[in-house]
């Protein structure tokens, strides 16, 4: 897969900010005093305490912003269902999609016959898009000229109107770009849903990459992040379970968890 995820920015000292916010709830001293007194060991211990007691609201004070490229519209339709987040996506109304790139699902790409059908279909759609946008642009351009609008302005308006209608033929496979900002609490929820083996392959791959990136800057916050089963010790999907509980837990935790860690 050719997708790319970059951690563009995040709250400075995210774990210290979370620990400060949480400790404030149990302290009568000043906020600055709490922040200054927290060393790395104290932060780690307090974050472990938060995990144990399930106190998650302090996690909302830190956020992470990602640039995500080389993904499909099918992926972003799923991504934006996570509502406690901010998104900015490449617009098909303002960006002309002539010769658009597209994402081929692995199960199609590995089969030569299916891959050829897929590629031929994308080529047909691309041709249809080009014809529609060209003819619509000419139609709108002539109308704007008759209204006395300058050629430069008429061309600009006609192109925008043309591509915003032509885009209706574009497929879910069409490649797109998106910037996403989430707070740490929502990221944990995102991982619990999208790192699961039952999640669609593309969003699962992106979720795994995002988890890898945030663990580098906030390892204590995200050390138990991943699908629900790694903390619960069982799969909550019932008969829909992937049946690979131990392998999944080993993937996200690095080793089998001790029994006391599941309580």
């Amino acid at each position: 897969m050719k997708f790319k995820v970059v951690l563009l920015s995040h709250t400075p000292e995210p774990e210290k900010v979370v620990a400060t916010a949480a400790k404030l709830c149990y302290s009568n001293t000043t906020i600055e005093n709490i922040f200054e007194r927290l060393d790395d060991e104290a932060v780690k211990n307090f974050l472990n305490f938060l995990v144990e007691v399930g106190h998650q609201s302090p996690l909302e004070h830190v956020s992470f912003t990602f640039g995500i490229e080389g993904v499909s519209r099918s992926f972003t339709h799923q991504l934006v269902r996570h509502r406690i987040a901010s998104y900015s996506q490449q617009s098909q109304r303002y960006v002309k999609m002539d010769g658009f790139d597209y994402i081929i699902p692995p199960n199609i790409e590995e089969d030569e016959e299916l891959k050829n059908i897929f590629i031929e279909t994308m080529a047909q759609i691309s041709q249809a898009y080009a014809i529609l946008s060209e003819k619509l642009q000419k139609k709108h351009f002539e109308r704007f000229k008759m209204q006395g609008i300058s050629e430069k302005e008429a061309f600009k308006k006609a192109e925008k109107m043309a591509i915003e209608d032509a885009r209706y033929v574009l497929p879910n496979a069409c490649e797109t770009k998106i910037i996403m900002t989430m707070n740490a609490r929502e990221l944990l929820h995102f991982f619990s849903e999208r790192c699961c083996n039952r999640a669609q392959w593309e969003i699962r791959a992106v979720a795994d990459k995002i988890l890898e990136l945030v663990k580098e800057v906030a390892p204590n916050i995200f050390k138990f992040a991943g699908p629900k089963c790694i903390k619960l010790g069982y799969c909550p999907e019932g008969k829909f379970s992937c049946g690979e509980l131990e392998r999944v837990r080993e993937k996200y935790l690095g080793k089998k968890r001790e029994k006391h860690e599941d309580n």
Side-chain angles (χ1 to χ4, degrees):
M1 291 179 290
K2 58 181 179 179
F3 75 87
K4 179 181 180 181
V5 181
V6 178
L7 178 57
L8 298 175
S9 68
H10 59 81
T11 304
E13 298 186 85
E15 296 197 327
K16 193 171 183 180
V17 170
V18 170
T20 300
K23 194 170 180 61
L24 176 66
C25 300
Y26 308 96
S27 176
N28 64 356
T29 188
T30 67
I31 296 173
E32 287 183 344
N33 191 37
I34 295 172
F35 188 81
E36 290 170 0
R37 284 188 175 185
L38 283 171
D39 58 21
D40 290 345
E41 188 63 28
V43 167
K44 180 180 178 180
N45 291 337
F46 210 79
L47 290 177
N48 286 335
F49 169 73
L50 291 183
V51 172
E52 289 178 12
V53 300
H55 188 185
Q56 290 194 324
S57 61
L59 296 171
E60 297 172 15
H61 291 291
V62 299
S63 63
F64 301 79
T65 299
F66 306 90
I68 305 171
E69 300 183 68
V71 289
S72 70
R73 280 266 168 172
S74 179
F75 161 82
T76 56
H77 287 331
Q78 296 179 73
L79 180 66
V80 298
R81 291 174 186 167
H82 293 271
R83 297 177 179 86
I84 307 176
S86 299
Y87 304 99
S88 297
Q89 185 169 7
Q90 183 184 62
S91 173
Q92 292 179 342
R93 290 184 66 202
Y94 294 95
V95 178
K96 201 168 185 180
M97 304 302 292
D98 283 345
F100 62 87
D101 290 325
Y102 50 85
I103 308 303
I104 305 178
N107 285 329
I108 293 177
E109 190 163 29
E110 68 187 13
D111 186 304
E112 199 63 29
E113 180 186 3
L114 298 181
K115 182 179 178 181
N116 288 335
I117 292 172
F118 193 93
I119 292 174
E120 288 171 9
T121 302
M122 293 300 107
Q124 291 169 5
I125 292 174
S126 182
Q127 184 179 23
Y129 175 85
I131 293 171
L132 286 169
S133 58
E134 180 183 1
K135 290 184 178 296
L136 284 167
Q137 185 171 348
K138 288 181 178 178
K139 175 183 175 181
H140 294 313
F141 180 77
E142 293 302 324
R143 177 164 58 86
F144 290 140
K145 284 286 291 177
M146 290 178 64
Q147 295 173 359
I149 299 175
S150 69
E151 283 199 9
K152 182 178 180 181
E153 186 64 23
F155 181 87
K156 184 178 178 181
K157 292 182 66 174
E159 182 179 58
K160 179 183 177 298
M161 289 188 69
I163 64 176
E164 71 179 4
D165 282 343
R167 66 180 173 145
Y168 278 78
V169 301
L170 295 174
N172 275 340
C174 193
E175 187 176 311
T176 189
K177 303 173 181 66
I178 192 166
I179 289 177
M180 175 189 80
T181 300
M182 278 187 183
N183 68 48
R185 185 177 190 176
E186 180 59 16
L187 275 170
L188 287 173
H189 171 69
F190 173 71
F191 296 139
S192 74
E193 297 293 331
R194 303 303 185 174
C195 290
C196 175
N197 278 347
R198 295 196 65 238
Q200 192 255 356
W201 63 270
E202 190 177 17
I203 199 167
R204 185 172 69 247
V206 174
D208 281 345
K209 182 59 180 178
I210 291 174
L211 177 53
E212 177 187 324
L213 292 173
V214 296
K215 275 188 171 182
E216 292 177 3
V217 295
N220 294 299
I221 291 176
F222 296 105
K223 65 180 177 181
F224 294 140
K228 298 184 182 91
C229 62
I230 68 169
K231 185 169 178 60
L232 293 175
Y234 65 89
C235 177
E237 299 290 340
K239 66 179 181 180
F240 296 110
S241 170
C242 70
E244 299 181 352
L245 175 62
E246 288 305 315
R247 187 188 68 81
V248 171
R249 298 178 78 198
E250 189 170 353
K251 172 185 175 181
Y252 289 98
L253 297 172
K255 61 180 181 179
K256 294 180 181 179
R257 298 180 68 188
E258 299 295 331
K259 185 174 181 180
H260 72 269
E261 291 183 309
D262 297 327
N263 297 328

